[in-house]
Amino acid sequence: MNNEVRMLKPEDVFSFFDDLCGMPHPSGHTDKIADYLVKFAEDRALDYKRDERGNVIIYKCSSENSRSTEPLILQAHIDMVPNSADYANIDFTKEPIRIFTDDDFIRTYGTTLGADDGIGVAMILAVLNDKTLSHPPIEALFTTDEEVGMLGAAALDASFLNGKRMINLDHESENLLVCGCTGGSDVHCSLPVKREERTGIIVNISLSGLIGGHSGLEIDKGRANANILMTRLLLALHKEIDFGLVSMRGGTKETAIPAECEVRISVYPTVFGIIENIVKSCTDTFKNEFSGVEENINITASEGEFETSDVLESSSLDSVLKVLAAVPNGAFEFIPELPDVVQTSSNLGVLRLAKNNLFFTCCVRSSVPSVLDWYCRKIEIIAEGFGGSSYKDSGYPGWMFRKDSPLQRSVKEAYHSVYGKEMKVSAVHAGLECGVFSEKIKDLDVVSLGPDVFSVHTPFEHLSISSVERTYALLKAILETV
Ligand SMILES: [Zn+2]
């Protein structure tokens, strides 16, 4: 328990938040929090449901003076990303998150804070706990395992909910009302390749130093994709020299822009100088193309042993280079009403050349379901065109941006009354649970908001105290008007 935190205003919100920090709750380990929520409901004689997946719903009747009998769903997720600096030495499944206040912030000792989404949970508990508030009937929905594929939301039986309007409290920027998100699918492709023996000098080419980042939220930042740059380098080499491709490997995660890619090629001993020149010229070209964004592009070529190895047959090398050149990568369309928000993107995230196959995965996102399907199909067709096959995972649904809705209007009015200015409305190019609920609950009117949280999912995550106070005031004002 941290008494300093518990005394911050609003006290209820910060006391519940401190309780949550005291209970370990990384994804997959949220039973303690679910027990806590059940006890919270029982102690206050509130109806509740807990499903097999660990999701909890707590129901609270409307206050006597409420204007509305139409239920409002308040939603947050109860799991957190466990990430820590080496020095923190923490077991997230057993130990609490140690927190302290620092000026306007709550910080940790080198771990994630879990303000994503503990602060959303704490605000909802404060609403449920407060007998003085004016509010419609509330269905408080706490979901599990959002951070590992929105598993709780996906498994939820929506018949537990009667509301047709929902406020998701899992956003991390106080002045922005989120009214749309993307759906996404990973398309896993496999291209059969044939190999033959070749004797020559092995050259290792390594491309590194790229920024990388989140393949949704950061796809519009103009960053380079290591798998694409390496493909271009190999195409440049292919034009000038005869080489055999031994191995190729780039990226670590579908959802991350790859920052590194490595290949091994087999060549005649005399061409190393030409390779060095091509590497140098490609490096200059890439530095020029990405100037102001990627300042540390580093490509090295080093000579290895003279040996006999299995390299791709020439026709397989051709197919591999062409398929990688053809797959769509980067940000494409933008949302018409929000020209600075990406609507559709694809990230050639992971690439592996195995003995008999080239495997690669594109993480495709779009806020328009039919466009998502179209881009996934495009990639499938390209893979098939080169003799390969593909598999699209079930993915997660999007939430198409709506410029206006009754709930948006109420939130904007409440925001204006609290802040004296207009609330900005936008959409995010990433998946949110709102997409899952929009699919499950017909005609759901949903928005997402939350206080300022910084460096989310990193050991430096911190939460603005004053932003929580204002956001909670906003939430109370919304409850009075809806
Ligand atoms: Zn979250």
Side-chain angles (χ1 to χ4, degrees):
M1 274 226 304
N2 182 316
N3 284 325
E4 212 179 318
V5 169
R6 300 182 87 86
M7 274 153 62
L8 296 169
K9 293 218 163 26
E11 273 180 39
D12 259 11
V13 175
F14 282 108
S15 296
F16 290 127
F17 182 67
D18 185 54
D19 284 351
L20 298 172
C21 290
M23 290 176 278
H25 58 285
S27 305
H29 300 269
T30 49
D31 279 352
K32 273 206 178 95
I33 302 267
D35 293 345
Y36 169 87
L37 294 172
V38 164
K39 182 164 187 313
F40 174 98
E42 285 173 347
D43 287 350
R44 289 158 185 81
L46 297 171
D47 282 343
Y48 67 89
K49 278 204 170 69
R50 175 181 184 162
D51 69 12
E52 278 174 8
R53 185 84 223 182
N55 298 306
V56 176
I57 305 167
I58 302 178
Y59 304 87
K60 188 184 182 194
C61 299
S62 63
S63 61
E64 275 174 17
N65 55 352
S66 170
R67 290 202 219 167
S68 168
T69 54
E70 199 197 325
L72 176 70
I73 305 165
L74 297 179
Q75 188 259 324
H77 65 86
I78 57 175
D79 62 314
M80 66 176 278
V81 171
N83 190 4
S84 58
D86 288 344
Y87 67 85
N89 199 16
I90 179 177
D91 180 348
F92 280 97
T93 63
K94 295 197 175 81
E95 294 172 53
I97 304 295
R98 292 169 57 228
I99 56 177
F100 63 96
T101 57
D102 167 27
D103 198 12
D104 184 41
F105 299 109
I106 297 181
R107 295 181 189 273
T108 63
Y109 296 91
T111 69
T112 35
L113 171 61
D116 170 15
D117 187 21
I119 197 62
V121 174
M123 286 195 290
I124 298 173
L125 291 177
V127 166
L128 295 175
N129 192 47
D130 191 335
K131 294 200 171 96
T132 67
L133 291 182
S134 168
H135 60 78
I138 287 172
E139 300 178 329
L141 170 60
F142 304 97
T143 49
T144 54
D145 298 339
E146 187 269 352
E147 303 287 5
V148 288
M150 301 186 262
L151 304 179
L156 183 80
D157 179 348
S159 69
F160 292 160
L161 299 164
N162 298 305
K164 291 275 187 197
R165 45 198 196 145
M166 172 188 278
I167 298 177
N168 162 284
L169 288 154
D170 185 24
H171 185 55
E172 289 113 18
S173 171
E174 180 185 344
N175 297 309
L176 192 69
L177 185 64
V178 176
C179 301
C181 76
T182 62
S185 270
D186 293 339
V187 185
H188 306 274
C189 302
S190 163
L191 203 70
V193 293
K194 288 202 174 119
R195 291 189 179 250
E196 62 190 5
E197 274 191 2
R198 175 172 174 143
T199 304
I201 291 279
I202 296 292
V203 176
N204 297 297
I205 304 176
S206 156
L207 191 154
S208 63
L210 305 186
I211 300 169
H214 190 278
S215 71
L217 298 173
E218 289 165 318
I219 200 75
D220 60 345
K221 303 254 188 299
R223 294 179 189 170
N225 177 312
N227 293 337
I228 299 289
L229 295 194
M230 186 60 92
T231 301
R232 290 175 60 187
L233 172 63
L234 290 177
L235 282 164
L237 286 171
H238 196 40
K239 227 172 137 187
E240 301 294 328
I241 61 164
D242 172 32
F243 70 85
L245 186 59
V246 181
S247 68
M248 184 170 190
R249 178 185 184 89
T252 52
K253 249 171 112 176
E254 287 82 3
T255 54
I257 300 168
E260 291 180 8
C261 187
E262 284 189 352
V263 300
R264 292 173 78 219
I265 58 176
S266 173
V267 296
Y268 299 119
T270 49
V271 300
F272 187 68
I274 303 174
I275 295 174
E276 281 188 310
N277 286 340
I278 294 172
V279 164
K280 164 96 181 49
S281 119
C282 281
T283 307
D284 291 345
T285 304
F286 299 154
K287 281 191 168 166
N288 176 53
E289 285 177 19
F290 293 94
S291 90
V293 182
E294 299 281 3
E295 301 296 352
N296 300 307
I297 299 175
N298 184 29
I299 312 177
T300 57
S302 57
E303 263 181 307
E305 299 292 309
F306 187 80
E307 61 183 45
T308 300
S309 44
D310 285 338
V311 303
L312 296 192
E313 281 183 7
S314 140
S315 62
S316 288
L317 175 62
D318 224 50
S319 300
V320 163
L321 295 181
K322 282 181 179 160
V323 79
L324 294 176
V327 286
N329 180 77
F332 312 116
E333 288 107 5
F334 288 74
I335 297 177
E337 298 100 324
L338 300 169
D340 54 343
V341 181
V342 177
Q343 182 185 76
T344 306
S345 71
S346 170
N347 178 55
L348 175 55
V350 179
L351 184 166
R352 298 281 181 271
L353 180 59
K355 189 162 187 283
N356 299 314
N357 293 83
L358 169 76
F359 296 107
F360 63 91
T361 301
C362 295
C363 171
V364 187
R365 299 172 196 263
S366 179
S367 46
V368 184
S370 56
V371 178
L372 176 67
D373 286 346
W374 166 230
Y375 272 83
C376 290
R377 186 73 194 109
K378 234 185 230 261
I379 294 165
E380 288 165 0
I381 288 169
I382 292 168
E384 285 162 17
F386 289 95
S389 58
S390 63
Y391 156 76
K392 182 180 113 170
D393 70 11
S394 57
Y396 53 91
W399 162 33
M400 206 164 150
F401 178 73
R402 268 167 83 180
K403 214 175 173 181
D404 191 29
S405 78
L407 185 58
Q408 271 184 46
R409 281 196 291 279
S410 301
V411 173
K412 283 160 85 178
E413 266 171 44
Y415 182 91
H416 196 272
S417 72
V418 173
Y419 290 78
K421 60 177 182 181
E422 294 301 316
M423 189 169 202
K424 201 177 162 225
V425 169
S426 193
V428 293
H429 192 65
L432 296 175
E433 287 171 301
C434 303
V436 178
F437 299 126
S438 297
E439 196 181 58
K440 280 181 187 265
I441 304 172
K442 200 174 174 293
D443 299 324
L444 182 72
D445 188 359
V446 53
V447 296
S448 175
L449 58 90
D452 289 339
V453 190
F454 303 94
S455 307
V456 173
H457 298 185
T458 78
F460 313 102
E461 180 180 354
H462 55 289
L463 167 69
S464 164
I465 295 164
S466 59
S467 180
V468 172
E469 191 173 5
R470 290 187 296 270
T471 303
Y472 191 62
L474 170 64
L475 183 59
K476 289 198 291 185
I478 295 167
L479 293 174
E480 276 174 26
T481 55
V482 293

